[in-house]
Amino acid sequence: MAPAADKKVTGLVAATFTPFTTQGEIDTSVIGPYIDYLLEKQGIKSIFVNGTTGESMSLTVAERKVLAEEWCQKAKGRMDQVIVHVGCMSVKDSQDLARHAAQIGADGIAVIAPFFFKPRTAETLRAFMKEVASAAPNLPFYYYQIPGLTGVHVNVRDVIEGIEDLIPSFRGVKFTGSDLMDFGQCVSNCQPEWSVLYGVDEQLLAGLAMGAHGAVGSTYNYIGCHVNKLLSAFEKGDLVQARSIQFKMQELLSYAMKLGFDVGVNKQLMSELSGLSLGPPRLPLTPCPHDRIEQITQKYRTVF
């Protein structure tokens, strides 16, 4: 039985960071306060866990299960959507995580393309996704496209063509790329129950103009309250206000990128701005020098 189509993902979805102790072990004690912060301070009602921002490729399958269960348990009855990323290099590990996500009450699962042995065609990628989706056939399934990290440059339009026949639970795409032609083709060819979610925070307004139903991003953890105003302005047709907020986001992120902005730096910025103790990133990511994060934090306060 295919999943119900009454929980379409819209609006902002925060891609969550994984809290670690100072010793580098996962720290689930932070997850409850983290959800409180997103809801109360940022107006964020949906989360995407164990993704790129959550350093999923640096976690064990067992760690990912513990985290997914804690996020789902703490968000139950409070958040609209908890989407769990279950992509791995091994289709068997991905299936294991997909089954687990179904057991713990996740609202959906997502999968990136495997990137060591890369699928070279849309057909091969679709076959991989079909195997993963089959392990949790009643959970909404999303393809998470991020070619900048996977190196898999297969047009998403080709991936989704007729995919509802192959994967009845397919419900959309997290599109983290700058090819707006491919993105537009996804939007124009999607089924009514699908969500096409844009994943490049600094170009969100362009994604909205092309018809994005929502957005998934790391910066919404700490600037979600501002970006919600961007969404509201866009919906009202106030492009001047929407651009103003987008340009502020770009000013902050371009400044951070010049200083070297990766998941580790982003995580530390979230810790500074939220007051949550998220700990260091896990190798091969390295902690951010204190002076650099101070500069970015000051820039945030100047811009917003």
Side-chain angles (χ1 to χ4, degrees), residues 139-152:
L139 269 188
F141 182 94
Y142 301 86
Y143 170 46
Y144 173 11
Q145 178 254 22
I146 183 165
L149 287 180
T150 63
V152 176

Side-chain angles (χ1 to χ4, degrees), residues 3 8-9 18 23 35 53-54 58 68 75 84 94 112 124 131 144 146 149 181-182 187 202 226 228 259-260 268 293:
K8 184 167 178 172
V9 183
T18 293
Q23 290 76 39
I35 289 172
T53 303
S58 299
V84 178
S94 289
I112 58 167
T124 306
E131 289 298 304
Y144 173 11
I146 183 165
L149 287 180
M181 182 164 137
D182 190 26
V187 174
E202 61 271 26
H226 302 291
N228 273 324
L259 294 178
Q268 184 59 34
I293 206 63

Side-chain angles (χ1 to χ4, degrees), residues 1-5 126 129-142 160 162-172 191 193-194:
M1 183 178 71
R126 284 150 57 98
M129 294 196 299
K130 179 184 178 182
E131 289 298 304
V132 179
S134 69
N138 295 323
L139 269 188
F141 182 94
Y142 301 86
I160 67 171
I163 200 167
E164 64 274 17
D165 297 325
L166 196 67
I167 306 174
S169 57
F170 189 83
R171 286 298 178 270
Q191 300 297 319
E193 68 271 21
W194 294 0

